[in-house]
Amino acid sequence: MLDVFFKKNDNKLMAEREIFQLEDSLKEFLINELTRDAVDKFSVNLNRYKNLKLLIDPAGRFKEPNFKVQVGIFEVYLTIEEGQKLSGSIGSSDELLIMKWLDFGSNRALLRMFWLGESIDKSKGKIVPFDLE
């Protein structure tokens, strides 16, 4: 019984670590996209993404697979499959960049796996911001 307890906690810790890596991937993508397109790179306020949070809660208020991105006091819920906004807002330009990030590499598949409660098999996918398989 104790083995089952530790295995469940190890899987939970592994999943949390993987979600943090996915969250960092989104932060890095947003910062790279904003500084790449900015004429004056110093005019972009990158500190606003310091506290960006990516949350996946299958028991949440929406039935379809979704994820929440929170930037400061603002939050938006987006569907995993289509990237459509379900609720909230963090600004249209940020939302478009998040949808663009969702289409990169295996980000959508990784979010879907977390929604289903699966852990990432390191041989199947890796969390890299610009993973263009």
Side-chain angles (χ1 to χ4, degrees), residues 25 28-30 32-33 101 104-105 107 127-133:
S25 162
E28 186 176 329
F29 177 80
L30 288 170
N32 286 339
E33 285 293 306
W101 169 83
F104 271 131
N107 291 333
I127 301 171
V128 178
F130 302 105
D131 185 9
L132 303 173
E133 295 178 353

Side-chain angles (χ1 to χ4, degrees), residues 9-72:
N9 284 340
D10 286 345
N11 288 341
K12 184 178 179 183
L13 287 174
M14 187 182 307
E16 287 176 2
R17 194 171 338 125
E18 292 165 347
I19 290 174
F20 287 136
Q21 288 175 337
L22 199 57
E23 187 176 280
D24 286 342
S25 162
L26 177 57
K27 284 180 198 176
E28 186 176 329
F29 177 80
L30 288 170
I31 290 169
N32 286 339
E33 285 293 306
L34 289 170
T35 55
R36 183 174 58 95
D37 293 338
V39 175
D40 182 11
K41 294 185 188 318
F42 299 107
S43 68
V44 178
N45 182 10
L46 302 177
N47 286 330
R48 68 179 284 196
Y49 301 108
K50 188 187 273 187
N51 294 323
L52 181 141
K53 300 286 182 219
L54 180 102
L55 303 162
I56 301 167
D57 183 14
R61 59 189 226 197
F62 301 105
K63 295 201 186 298
E64 59 267 21
N66 67 81
F67 64 103
K68 177 172 96 169
V69 176
Q70 186 174 355
V71 179

Side-chain angles (χ1 to χ4, degrees), residues 87-116:
S87 176
S89 180
I90 59 170
S92 60
S93 61
D94 287 342
E95 290 168 13
L96 289 172
L97 288 175
I98 292 169
M99 289 178 207
K100 188 174 176 183
W101 169 83
L102 190 58
D103 289 332
F104 271 131
S106 56
N107 291 333
R108 186 182 312 272
L110 293 172
L111 287 171
R112 192 177 307 119
M113 286 170 53
F114 286 125
W115 176 267
L116 296 172

